[in-house]
């Protein structure tokens, strides 16, 4: 065996292992991207996947922040709970184990690339929702939501608890934090080489929720949500809620208002971010998915993430993004995708 073969042989074997263990996720990524490309061609539009931009964000901001957090976390965990005789030597060994292990890094690279490919295709298709199926379901969803909650809009039931500027800002902060927590868990899972079934269960279910919920069902049930109910000519049912949000913003920041305006402007002008879509709530869907993963990892983490999912559901309604049933439906989708992915992971990992 030559020196070059000796070096590349084990590495090639690790790549093959990672590709084989992740074959379901990779297949989903390829099929979904091909479908997005076909839709672009069908509508004579350029295929502009968001994969590269998401990978750039991961490489320049989220990834380094995640690694810094993990290193600092491990340092303090070691200092407070392990207390080794040689802290420096133990810390270097930990860094090698978690940051320089070829098996872990190759598996993480393969799974993360496949996951970001799916996310990129989802972002592209989200802008296509009103092109494929113009927004039309809002009056029905508003009526069903009201009927389900005893003749009142869901936001009217939560106002006694959430109407204050402080409560509104806390929910808005949680709603924004969702993005960072979601990517943090994705990083964490991609680096998990010790439990391939658990890793694949989460990543496959993550992919399925965005494809089934965020693309297929979001297109079938094309809707804009309460925030744009009036702007799209459906009535002023949600104007009292929006007026409350604007009033609270005079006291404490309600960042959702700026995002409301940005998305509507993007839709009307065709420039910038214009991905309006309400049913199902993907914030709630993925928050529930995180709770399922939390229970698969540690029970205490599962319960914390259940609380977080409840906050996201409340925030989705109170910040006027969604009808309550958007979140209920999203939770059902998350459960179905989790258990379906669990079966696939046990069978093909």
């Amino acid at each position: 065996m030559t020196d070059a073969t000796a070096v590349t042989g084990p590495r090639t074997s690790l790549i093959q292992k990672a590709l084989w263990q992740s074959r379901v996720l990779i297949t989903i990524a390829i099929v979904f991207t091909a479908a997005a490309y076909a839709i672009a061609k069908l509508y004579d539009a350029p295929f502009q996947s968001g994969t590269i931009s998401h990978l750039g964000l991961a490489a320049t901001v989220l990834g380094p922040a995640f690694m810094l957090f993990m290193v600092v976390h491990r340092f303090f965990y070691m200092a407070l709970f392990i207390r080794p005789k040689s802290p420096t030597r133990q810390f270097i060994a930990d860094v090698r184990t978690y940051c320089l292990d070829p098996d872990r890094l190759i598996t993480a690279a393969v799974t993360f690339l496949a996951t970001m490919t799916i996310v990129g295709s989802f972002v592209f298709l989200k802008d296509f929702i009103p092109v494929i199926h113009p927004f039309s379901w809002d009056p029905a969803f508003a009526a069903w939501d009201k009927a389900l909650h005893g003749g009142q809009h869901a936001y009217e039931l939560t106002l006694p608890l959430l109407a204050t500027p402080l409560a509104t800002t806390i929910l808005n902060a949680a709603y924004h934090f969702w993005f960072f927590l979601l990517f943090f868990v994705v990083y964490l899972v991609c680096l998990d080489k010790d439990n391939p079934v658990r890793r694949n269960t989460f990543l496959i279910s993550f992919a399925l929720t965005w494809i089934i919920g965020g693309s297929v069902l979001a297109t079938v049930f094309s809707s804009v949500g309460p925030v744009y109910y009036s702007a799209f000519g459906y009535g002023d049912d949600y104007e009292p809620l929006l007026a409350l949000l604007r009033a609270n913003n005079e006291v404490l920041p309600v960042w959702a208002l700026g995002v409301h305006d940005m998305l509507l402007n993007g839709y009307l002008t065709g420039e910038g971010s214009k991905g309006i879509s309400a049913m199902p709530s993907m914030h709630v869907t993925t928050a529930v998915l995180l709770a399922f993963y939390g229970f698969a990892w540690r029970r205490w983490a599962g319960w914390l993430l259940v609380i977080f999912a409840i906050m996201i559901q409340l925030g989705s309604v109170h910040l006027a993004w969604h009808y309550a049933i958007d979140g209920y439906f999203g939770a059902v989708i998350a459960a179905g995708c989790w258990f379906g992915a669990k079966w696939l992971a046990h069978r093909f990992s």
Side-chain angles (χ1 to χ4, degrees), residues 144-172:
W144 296 348
D145 204 59
K146 195 171 183 179
L148 185 62
H149 297 93
Q152 289 183 286
H153 292 295
Y155 79 85
E156 294 175 314
L157 297 176
T158 60
L159 279 183
L161 178 66
L162 305 175
T164 65
L166 179 60
T168 301
T169 297
I170 289 173
L171 284 180
N172 202 163

Side-chain angles (χ1 to χ4, degrees), residues 257-282:
L257 293 172
V259 184
H260 291 171
D261 294 339
M262 178 190 71
L263 291 178
L264 182 59
N265 183 67
Y267 174 81
L268 295 175
T269 64
E271 299 178 358
S273 181
K274 49 185 179 293
I276 295 175
S277 177
M279 170 64 83
S281 167
M282 292 308 297

Side-chain angles (χ1 to χ4, degrees), residues 75-90:
F75 176 82
F76 281 102
Y77 180 83
M78 180 186 67
L80 295 175
F81 297 102
I82 300 178
R83 299 179 181 177
K85 292 182 180 179
S86 178
T88 302
R89 183 177 300 173
Q90 179 67 47

Side-chain angles (χ1 to χ4, degrees), residues 239-262:
E239 286 306 303
L241 175 59
L242 293 171
L244 174 69
L245 295 178
R246 288 190 287 267
N248 285 347
N249 188 52
E250 297 295 323
V251 181
L252 289 173
V254 181
W255 305 283
L257 293 172
V259 184
H260 291 171
D261 294 339
M262 178 190 71

Side-chain angles (χ1 to χ4, degrees), residues 11-335:
R11 187 176 302 165
T12 302
S13 178
L14 290 177
I15 294 173
Q16 291 173 338
K17 174 187 172 184
L19 292 172
W20 180 250
Q21 287 187 343
S22 305
R23 61 194 183 278
V24 174
L25 181 68
I26 293 169
T27 301
I28 292 172
I30 293 172
V31 172
F32 185 49
T33 302
Y37 180 80
I39 290 173
K41 289 301 179 183
L42 180 64
Y43 286 90
D44 196 26
F47 178 60
Q48 297 175 331
S49 170
T51 302
I52 300 301
S53 61
H54 280 78
L55 286 173
L57 179 64
T60 58
V61 180
L62 298 177
F66 169 79
M67 296 305 297
L68 177 62
F69 175 86
M70 293 300 293
V71 168
V72 172
H73 166 267
R74 188 61 188 176
F75 176 82
F76 281 102
Y77 180 83
M78 180 186 67
L80 295 175
F81 297 102
I82 300 178
R83 299 179 181 177
K85 292 182 180 179
S86 178
T88 302
R89 183 177 300 173
Q90 179 67 47
F91 185 69
I92 292 174
D94 283 352
V95 170
R96 287 176 177 172
T97 298
Y98 290 98
C99 301
L100 301 177
D101 175 24
D103 189 7
R104 189 184 302 275
L105 293 178
I106 289 172
T107 300
V110 168
T111 53
F112 190 74
L113 178 59
T115 301
M116 289 301 100
T117 299
I118 292 166
V119 172
S121 296
F122 158 78
V123 171
F124 170 76
L125 287 176
K126 188 173 184 180
D127 288 348
F128 261 81
I129 289 175
V131 176
I132 300 172
H133 184 189
F135 299 123
S136 59
W137 277 88
D138 287 270
F141 289 151
W144 296 348
D145 204 59
K146 195 171 183 179
L148 185 62
H149 297 93
Q152 289 183 286
H153 292 295
Y155 79 85
E156 294 175 314
L157 297 176
T158 60
L159 279 183
L161 178 66
L162 305 175
T164 65
L166 179 60
T168 301
T169 297
I170 289 173
L171 284 180
N172 202 163
Y175 213 76
H176 277 53
F177 179 66
W178 163 89
F179 175 82
F180 298 98
L181 179 62
L182 188 65
F183 270 86
F184 177 86
V185 174
V186 168
Y187 280 125
L188 196 66
V189 173
C190 287
L191 286 166
D192 180 10
K193 75 166 189 176
D194 302 321
N195 193 328
V197 171
R198 183 177 64 200
R199 180 184 70 235
N200 284 340
T201 297
F202 176 80
L203 293 177
I204 293 170
S205 61
F206 181 85
L208 292 177
T209 55
W210 288 107
I211 295 170
I212 296 172
S215 294
V216 177
L217 295 176
T219 303
V220 172
F221 300 111
S222 182
S223 56
V224 298
V227 60
Y228 305 121
Y229 201 81
S230 176
F232 279 75
Y234 298 127
D236 59 359
D237 297 49
Y238 298 93
E239 286 306 303
L241 175 59
L242 293 171
L244 174 69
L245 295 178
R246 288 190 287 267
N248 285 347
N249 188 52
E250 297 295 323
V251 181
L252 289 173
V254 181
W255 305 283
L257 293 172
V259 184
H260 291 171
D261 294 339
M262 178 190 71
L263 291 178
L264 182 59
N265 183 67
Y267 174 81
L268 295 175
T269 64
E271 299 178 358
S273 181
K274 49 185 179 293
I276 295 175
S277 177
M279 170 64 83
S281 167
M282 292 308 297
H283 269 73
V284 175
T285 304
T286 49
V288 172
L289 197 67
L290 291 178
F292 275 111
Y293 177 75
F295 281 114
W297 181 63
R298 299 285 191 277
R299 182 170 293 274
W300 61 264
W303 284 116
L304 284 178
L305 289 167
V306 165
I307 295 172
F308 181 73
I310 292 172
M311 290 183 68
I312 295 300
Q313 168 67 16
L314 292 173
S316 73
V317 173
H318 185 64
L319 298 171
W321 286 118
H322 292 281
Y323 312 103
I325 58 174
D326 295 347
Y328 303 158
F329 193 29
V332 172
I333 293 169

